[in-house]
Amino acid sequence: MSSLRSYNSMVNIWVILGTMLLFMVAKTECKKCAFKAIFNFGDSNTDTGGFWAAFPAQAPPHGMTYFKKPVGRATDGRVVVDFLAQAFNLPFLSPYLKSIGSDYKHGVNFATLASTVRLPQTSLFVTGVSPFSLEIQLRQMQEFKAKVDELPRKGKTNLPSPNIFGKSLYTFYIGQNDFTGNLARLGISGVEEFLPQVVSLISSTIKEIYALGGRTFWVLNLAPIGCYPAFLAELPHNTSDIDQFGCMISYNNAVVDYNNMLKAALAQTRKKLADANVVYVDTHAVLLELFQHPTSHGLKYGTKSCCGYGDGAYNFNQQVFCGNTKQVNGKNVTAKACEDPQNYVSWDGIHATDAANKVTAYAILNGSYFDPPFPLHKYCDIQPIG
């Protein structure tokens, strides 16, 4: 992780130079990027408003840091794909499901909160699993391209050019809900039985998008859920299963096994798509470093959530999620946000803060976490991200 630490030490310099660089960009020709759009597939880790467009209900304090109001993101500010868009000089991605105010000229976000890779076997209103699984997101992508190809290009439009699909970046950050959704009930061994199906579906989706013209794919791996406050509070474990950083060893080991499986599957997919870039992105390593050494990256709290109820070691209570008011032990309580989310890795026990997402995005853009190596700086002049 020395590369992340050395890169993180440059962040302060970037911040200082940010204003000057932006001024220079404004005075000169806009920097170029080979990626004219981003098409994102995922869950709440990269949802920019899709779920709440379908089921309007999000309330404060979500969005408090950057947007100053709820904007459909499960964090206090931006998600990783927001930072990638900023770095490529693209606007934030509009959700596919958002009917008002969307602009799809530079990509689409198909991700929704609570999405899984596998088709859900139950209802959102029973277990909270999103109906927009990866297969549905793929169908939405196919329908979107069909409409772009079909509709006439006259006057002002919020749709991209039909030739954009081969000039785009396709990002995947999904699988966490497949892994954690039944973890408490089935245990690690029970969940591991269907993980091969998860990685197989991700690989087959890449092949389907390749057939649509996609050529560059980034697949972000699974985060170290054994360090997440929500799972530390919820999942059964013994004190002997806690490492020196306060994370659950057995669950993190299971995540590593899944990530190795995903990496191997992508290697096989890469062989079959010789003219495509199929890149495994090790965001797990970045987040693990943040949870283990938050103070090395300008943060203070690793395994304690900013927004929650109960305080204690994790500040998380599964009976009342961030921003909600519920009756607990006969008393109405509210899960409130801390005053300094910039000091936390975890926003609400399950999702990362704007600050943690920013560090993750910097690490990705640095290029040290790609497998195989991907020459990003040959594709794009990276813009400063604020």
Side-chain angles (χ1 to χ4, degrees):
M1 291 304 300
S2 58
S3 58
L4 174 57
R5 293 189 184 186
S6 60
Y7 190 74
N8 190 70
S9 67
M10 298 173 61
V11 171
N12 290 334
I13 298 175
W14 282 49
V15 171
I16 294 171
L17 296 177
T19 304
M20 183 175 69
L21 289 171
L22 288 172
F23 177 79
M24 293 171 61
V25 169
K27 289 285 187 178
T28 58
E29 181 182 0
C30 288
K31 291 190 175 185
K32 302 297 182 182
C33 183
F35 300 129
K36 304 305 179 185
I38 300 173
F39 293 92
N40 182 66
F41 304 82
D43 52 31
S44 54
N45 290 306
T46 53
D47 185 357
T48 55
F51 183 88
W52 298 111
F55 307 101
Q58 194 183 39
H62 297 288
M64 62 179 280
T65 298
Y66 184 82
F67 299 99
K68 310 303 181 185
K69 62 180 181 180
V71 289
R73 290 157 173 80
T75 182
D76 61 306
R78 292 156 292 182
V79 294
V80 170
V81 74
D82 288 323
F83 288 107
L84 296 182
Q86 286 182 309
F88 300 157
N89 199 31
L90 299 174
F92 291 147
L93 295 186
S94 292
Y96 179 81
L97 296 171
K98 185 179 177 183
S99 60
I100 300 173
S102 289
D103 187 340
Y104 302 120
K105 291 191 291 291
H106 298 285
V108 181
N109 194 355
F110 300 99
T112 68
L113 180 148
S115 286
T116 54
V117 173
R118 302 191 307 158
L119 278 171
Q121 303 299 312
T122 183
S123 165
L124 168 71
F125 304 104
V126 176
T127 60
V129 178
S130 170
F132 305 107
S133 66
L134 183 58
E135 181 176 332
I136 301 302
Q137 294 179 29
L138 171 61
R139 292 180 189 176
Q140 291 171 337
M141 174 70 202
Q142 292 168 328
E143 178 71 6
F144 179 81
K145 184 179 186 302
K147 293 300 182 184
V148 169
D149 291 341
E150 172 189 323
L151 295 175
R153 320 226 36 88
K154 294 181 180 179
K156 188 176 181 180
T157 177
N158 68 342
L159 296 177
S161 167
N163 67 0
I164 203 170
F165 298 100
K167 305 174 182 178
S168 300
L169 173 65
Y170 297 83
T171 53
F172 296 78
Y173 197 5
I174 191 168
Q176 181 171 308
N177 295 315
D178 295 89
F179 192 95
T180 63
N182 294 303
L183 200 49
R185 181 172 62 88
L186 299 179
I188 293 173
S189 60
V191 169
E192 286 179 333
E193 290 183 8
F194 55 76
L195 293 182
Q197 182 187 5
V198 172
V199 299
S200 176
L201 287 170
I202 292 174
S203 292
S204 64
T205 301
I206 290 172
K207 294 172 187 175
E208 292 280 358
I209 297 174
Y210 176 88
L212 299 178
R215 289 299 181 269
T216 302
F217 307 89
W218 289 3
V219 183
L220 282 61
N221 64 4
L222 186 60
I225 63 101
C227 298
Y228 279 37
F231 302 123
L232 281 162
E234 289 181 359
L235 294 176
H237 63 277
N238 299 317
T239 54
S240 60
D241 194 33
I242 300 295
D243 66 17
Q244 61 180 314
F245 305 106
C247 300
M248 294 182 289
I249 299 169
S250 59
Y251 294 101
N252 276 351
N253 285 344
V255 169
V256 170
D257 290 342
Y258 166 81
N259 285 339
N260 287 336
M261 190 186 308
L262 175 64
K263 187 175 182 179
L266 294 178
Q268 292 303 312
T269 304
R270 193 178 304 120
K271 290 178 181 179
K272 297 176 182 178
L273 307 177
D275 61 335
N277 295 300
V278 180
V279 183
Y280 172 86
V281 186
D282 191 9
T283 45
H284 173 276
V286 182
L287 285 166
L288 184 63
E289 166 69 12
L290 284 178
F291 279 115
Q292 292 179 341
H293 304 104
T295 57
S296 297
H297 307 283
L299 309 177
K300 293 181 179 179
Y301 308 105
T303 57
K304 183 177 182 178
S305 62
C306 164
C307 186
Y309 169 73
D311 199 21
Y314 309 125
N315 190 35
F316 181 85
N317 187 312
Q318 62 182 335
Q319 296 181 64
V320 53
F321 291 102
C322 176
N324 291 343
T325 298
K326 294 278 183 71
Q327 191 172 85
V328 178
N329 298 326
K331 181 176 67 173
N332 282 340
V333 299
T334 301
K336 299 179 180 179
C338 62
E339 295 181 353
D340 56 342
Q342 72 277 6
N343 288 322
Y344 287 74
V345 177
S346 178
W347 164 240
D348 58 0
I350 303 173
H351 307 98
T353 58
D354 180 280
N357 284 328
K358 184 176 183 178
V359 173
T360 302
Y362 268 122
I364 294 172
L365 295 168
N366 184 34
S368 300
Y369 297 89
F370 294 137
D371 189 296
F374 181 77
L376 177 58
H377 290 275
K378 291 185 179 179
Y379 285 79
C380 292
D381 291 328
I382 304 300
Q383 299 272 339
I385 53 179

